[in-house]
Amino acid sequence: MFSVALTGGIGSGKSTVADQLAALGADVIDTDVLARELTAVGQPLLQRIAVNFGAEMLLADGALDRAALRQRVFQSPSERKRLEALLHPAIEALMLERRAALTAPYAVLVIPLLFETGQQQWAQRVLVVDVPEAVQIERVQQRSGLATDEIKRIIASQIARAERLARADDLIDNSGNSAVLIPQIKQLHERYLQLAGA
Ligand code: ADP
């Protein structure tokens, strides 16, 4: 199935763009959503995280303590690698399984760590949503109230902006308001329909 991999740094606007493409008729698979599904209470992957990282990664009700896990892996690249080795193959497998069942003219695969995980191979086009770092920080703060330092750490753990831009086939500049964003999305949607042969 013709697929567009949608990526960008934290708070760049991936979900916003994906929602708009879905409203225009694309089918969207968001790997963050898959990750949450796969680590819900009762899922084998949650059990493996608890075994590998300790029972203190679980809340009293048995759900994943995402803040504790984030804290843990952002302090240690080797721990982060260990977590990713557990998560990424399962997410990728579920993404491909879900994609096989889609019926829209094309699929949008939202993959925040696209280049970091080498998943460009699953898409014909790479679409990058881009904003300057100051905008990323401001929007993430507004959305989640994370501390500036923590947001900066997350940004630093992701691929550098210049490299991400260099590897894009298509680019959306989301530094403006929705009046400048929506036309860019509509134009790309038309192009993807064409490329998909729809
Ligand atoms: P991502 O999925 O890349 O982390 P989101 O789509 O969640 O990013 O956007 C981050 C935050 O910024 C959200 O709260 C979203 O509503 C807001 N946002 C996205 N695009 C814009 C924009 N063009 N102007 C203002 N706020 C925006």
Side-chain angles (χ1 to χ4, degrees):
M1 174 174 201
F2 188 85
S3 300
V4 177
L6 171 56
T7 195
I10 180 172
S12 58
K14 295 179 294 296
S15 305
T16 306
V17 170
D19 287 351
Q20 293 294 333
L21 289 171
L24 292 168
D27 270 334
V28 173
I29 299 176
D30 185 330
T31 54
D32 273 347
V33 174
L34 300 185
R36 279 196 289 276
E37 259 184 74
L38 285 164
T39 54
V41 174
Q43 290 291 320
L45 202 54
L46 181 60
Q47 193 57 37
R48 292 181 66 194
I49 291 172
V51 168
N52 277 270
F53 291 90
E56 68 270 24
M57 295 300 130
L58 302 181
L59 296 164
D61 65 358
L64 181 61
D65 187 341
R66 291 173 200 286
L69 190 59
R70 191 170 53 225
Q71 194 76 18
R72 173 91 173 259
V73 301
F74 278 114
Q75 280 168 4
S76 158
S78 68
E79 296 273 278
R80 184 171 162 226
K81 283 222 158 53
R82 222 151 58 80
L83 177 64
E84 288 174 350
L86 282 179
L87 286 176
H88 289 163
I91 295 170
E92 186 168 312
L94 185 57
M95 175 182 84
L96 295 176
E97 184 190 317
R98 293 273 165 88
R99 182 175 69 172
L102 299 181
T103 53
Y106 71 95
V108 176
L109 311 174
V110 186
I111 311 179
L113 299 178
L114 179 70
F115 304 115
E116 295 88 332
T117 56
Q119 291 186 88
Q120 318 87 292
Q121 61 167 318
W122 302 119
Q124 281 73 33
R125 303 293 290 182
V126 170
L127 170 57
V128 168
V129 189
D130 179 63
V131 294
E133 187 174 311
V135 176
Q136 267 182 293
I137 293 170
E138 185 189 312
R139 288 185 185 163
V140 172
Q141 243 159 11
Q142 260 172 19
R143 180 180 64 186
S144 63
L146 282 182
T148 305
D149 277 357
E150 187 157 7
I151 301 168
K152 283 189 172 164
R153 253 206 319 274
I154 295 171
I155 291 174
S157 76
Q158 300 180 335
I159 192 171
R161 185 182 176 199
E163 196 179 335
R164 188 189 288 117
L165 288 174
R167 294 168 79 165
D169 296 312
D170 304 307
L171 184 64
I172 286 181
D173 173 4
N174 188 26
S175 56
N177 60 20
S178 60
V180 281
L181 177 63
I182 302 295
Q184 297 180 71
I185 296 174
K186 286 191 169 150
Q187 197 176 4
L188 279 170
H189 174 68
E190 291 306 323
R191 178 145 168 66
Y192 293 147
L193 286 178
Q194 265 180 7
L195 288 171

